Amino acid sequence: MLRPLPRPLPVATPRPTRPAWEARPVTADAPAVVEQVHIVAPGESLAQIAQTTGAAVGPIAQANGLVAPYDLRPGQRLVIPGGRYHRVQSGETGIAIARAYGVAWSRIVTANQLAEPYILRAGQRVLIPGDPGRPPSVAERAAAFRLDIDDILTGGEPATAPRQAPVRPVAKPGRELPPTAVVAAPARLQGGFAWPVDGQIVRRFGPGRSGERNDGIKIAVPVSTPIHATADGVVAYAGDGIAALGGLIIIRHGNGWTSVYGHAAKLLVARGQSVKRGQTIALSGDTGFADQPELHFELRKGRTPVDPLSQLPRR
């Protein structure tokens, strides 16, 4: 007999805020493009070809084995992949686009060869994977609404309007940035990483005995223990949108590094806030699917989880 999942415990936040992917609704109105062959004209770029055909640069490059900077020659034959191509509007996020079409955002990332920093541009077209003539199944739609850390990192920022620059981080959570604002991430990691809490490691990085993979470490600490930022950075997410992790904070540090803090009972920072190494960002708890009062802590380089013990100082 399967045991029911535990009821999520409430998470205290500085103030209730809607995540960026709920601020700008997306209409699933992408037209279907028929697969075709395009002959490259003199001086024509891949971006111009995508605009002419209604397709997108990434899928065309992928279908024809092209790599940046996409050098083309006149008379070259290019296959234009067929499918639905969504035209991104200002403020839309990748997560919202995926949910509108009932397709997992990770599939859209792969189909369009999207890369760091994963910020969409208004007017950009993205291929929606799948058969245009077949609506997504119940399972596919459910997967599109099931968030994970990678979704937030790659699809959580809103699309920029033409000539729109990212906003500067704020120093305190009292000044709230609008959810449609793109937050500027640090360019460089300042120094190394510090321990976010002092406690016993109860689960290590990698596969466990049951085969389930842990993308970080779990550290047992009493409820309401201060959780500290592992390095200077900018808060990319603060909320409870991933049920398993409960109260969750994600911080970008520069050089592609990101830290993740889960199971918190109280969040003390907000999206777009700058934080310093050692600053208290939350109080620990047993929210989400925690086995006990503990902190789930991750470090990621780009999209890849890294064993925190390989980066933290020895103790």
Side-chain angles (χ1 to χ4, degrees), residues 272-286:
Q273 182 180 342
S274 61
V275 295
K276 294 294 185 181
R277 172 179 166 144
Q279 177 178 338
T280 299
I281 58 174
L283 300 180
S284 67
D286 54 357

Side-chain angles (χ1 to χ4, degrees), residues 10-14 227 247 249 263-268 281-285 287:
V11 177
T13 59
I227 300 171
I249 293 173
H263 302 317
K266 185 174 184 179
L267 310 181
L268 304 176
I281 58 174
L283 300 180
S284 67
T287 60

